[in-house]
Structures are given as structure tokens and as C-alpha cells.
Amino acid sequence: MAHPSQLGFQDAASPVMEELLHFHDHALMIVFLISTLVLYIIVAMVSTKLTNKYILDSQEIEIVWTMLPAVILVLIALPSLRILYLMDEINDPHLTIKAMGHQWYWSYEYTDYENLGFDSYMIPTQDLTPGQFRLLETDHRMVVPMESPIRVLVSAEDVLHSWAVPSLGVKMDAVPGRLNQTAFIASRPGVFYGQCSEICGANHSFMPIVVEAVPLEHFENWSSLMLEDA
């Protein structure tokens, strides 16, 4: 999860998020090189009184500074499109979960089970136990098996919401009357935090998302206990 004074992204917990981090570093390096070149040219023009007569009117230079940006845009666009299609791929999900946004909590329904669903409310600050995070902990976590493709169907009951978990590389708008879908694979066990990312009213800041990825055996035990309690 994020920590104070953090400059970069959260550690990746899914293959798609790893790709996004690599693309971010790739694009940032290109931006850094362009900025360095532009800064050098500005300093050189300001600090010298010499003029190169071949630069004043040169077809070759005009060709270079027309073609070079086009090449750079292609180098950015191709990996970007690749990741865009990867994020849309949903191949044979092992589990489907329906996430419904409400003012101001989330409800989850495991559609592969007959009667497995619950509401997920933020734990008030005064009820937190040592080690829990303020404004991020919920009374019920969305538990998923690790290393399994998970499909999440996202919608809303009242107003616009957005189901987002940065470390999993997932962000999907929850629109009333519309069913959106996204997918992820948790590549390691852990607890991953997110928040509603669409301004949805007075308590928008108080509807966190907690995804807990566990080994398949532990998930089966958890689902059996939840079904018994239901």
C-alpha cells in the first residue's frame, strides 16, 4: 500500500500492474531525454552569440525534427496499445464477483455460489485495532484466491462510484443501470487496499476497498465458513 512521501507507484501485485509500471518507466525515460535536449538547446541559444548559418534555413533539420517526434510517438503508442488490450482480456475466469457501489459502502456477491454475499463498510476510527489503517479497513474483506483469473462485475445502486485497487492495476467506473467488467490476477498473497475513485457525495472518502488474496485452499475454507454462517 502507499506510504507517506512515496514518489512512485505502489508495488505491483498483478501481471497487468507490472506491465503498467514498466510502461511508466519507459515513457518517463523518453520524457526525461526530451526535456534534457530541450533544456540544452535553450541554454545553448541563450548563452552564445554565435549563429550557425546552416541551421537558419536547412531542409535536413526540418526533416529530422518532423520525423523524430513521429518515431517517438510510435515508440510510446505501441506498448500503450498492447497494455490496453491486455487490460481488456478476460480469459476463462475462475471466479466472478459482483461489486455494487452504494452511498457509502460496497456490497459483494460471489455469483458462482448460491448464497454468498455481504456488505463491506469502513471500520470507524474509534473501533480500529492496533495495526489497522484508518479510513482503509473494512468489516468484511473481498477474499479471492491467488494466481487465479478473477472477473469483477461493477455497478452502482444510486450514483456514480469507481472500484479501484492501485496495486492490482484495476479501476472501473460503477454506473447505475450499467454493468461494467474488469479482471485481475493476484500474483501473490496479501491484503490490497483501494478507495472509491469517483466523487459520490458527502462520505465519498469513507468507502474503502480491501482485497485479500489467499491460497486456493484457504479460500475454499473461507467460502465454506461464509456459506455456513449464511
Side-chain angles (χ1 to χ4, degrees):
M1 62 172 293
H3 56 79
S5 72
Q6 178 174 329
L7 295 178
F9 289 100
Q10 298 182 27
D11 291 339
S14 72
V16 168
M17 190 59 196
E18 289 181 9
E19 293 287 342
L20 288 170
L21 288 179
H22 292 154
F23 174 70
H24 170 265
D25 295 341
H26 167 73
L28 197 64
M29 184 55 65
I30 293 175
V31 170
F32 175 74
L33 293 174
I34 293 172
S35 302
T36 304
L37 177 62
V38 171
L39 182 62
Y40 168 76
I41 293 173
I42 291 174
V43 171
M45 290 180 65
V46 170
S47 61
T48 182
K49 295 180 180 179
L50 300 176
T51 302
N52 190 327
K53 64 179 181 179
Y54 296 109
I55 294 181
L56 294 177
D57 184 20
S58 172
Q59 295 291 334
E60 291 79 9
I61 289 180
E62 291 188 8
I63 292 172
V64 169
W65 71 37
T66 301
M67 297 300 295
L68 193 59
V71 172
I72 292 172
L73 287 175
V74 170
L75 291 176
I76 295 175
L78 290 181
S80 175
L81 287 171
R82 173 177 169 272
I83 296 174
L84 196 62
Y85 279 97
L86 281 176
M87 293 175 71
D88 263 350
E89 282 292 325
I90 300 178
N91 292 324
D92 191 23
H94 295 178
L95 182 68
T96 298
I97 303 171
K98 184 170 148 188
M100 185 73 73
H102 307 266
Q103 289 182 311
W104 288 273
Y105 64 96
W106 293 95
S107 60
Y108 299 102
E109 180 183 340
Y110 289 69
T111 58
D112 298 290
Y113 295 83
E114 188 173 344
N115 189 25
L116 179 51
F118 49 84
D119 296 331
S120 180
Y121 290 87
M122 186 192 77
I123 299 177
T125 302
Q126 63 270 21
D127 297 335
L128 291 174
T129 58
Q132 290 187 321
F133 300 105
R134 190 177 73 90
L135 303 183
L136 288 177
E137 295 290 352
T138 60
D139 56 354
H140 291 94
R141 293 173 172 175
M142 189 182 104
V143 180
V144 299
M146 58 176 282
E147 296 180 339
S148 297
I150 310 297
R151 175 172 57 186
V152 185
L153 304 176
V154 184
S155 187
E157 186 75 28
D158 34 48
V159 298
L160 290 175
H161 299 280
S162 184
W163 198 83
V165 183
S167 56
L168 294 173
V170 175
K171 184 178 185 293
M172 181 57 66
D173 285 345
V175 183
R178 180 187 176 96
L179 199 62
N180 293 327
Q181 71 173 359
T182 185
F184 66 88
I185 300 174
S187 53
R188 56 185 169 85
V191 180
F192 312 110
Y193 295 92
Q195 290 177 298
C196 176
S197 298
E198 188 74 51
I199 296 176
C200 56
N203 292 333
H204 160 67
S205 303
F206 308 111
M207 49 183 302
I209 300 157
V210 184
V211 178
E212 183 176 357
V214 297
L216 180 59
E217 182 181 352
H218 294 183
F219 173 77
E220 291 174 342
N221 295 336
W222 171 84
S223 59
S224 299
L225 290 173
M226 291 293 289
L227 289 170
E228 289 175 5
D229 294 341

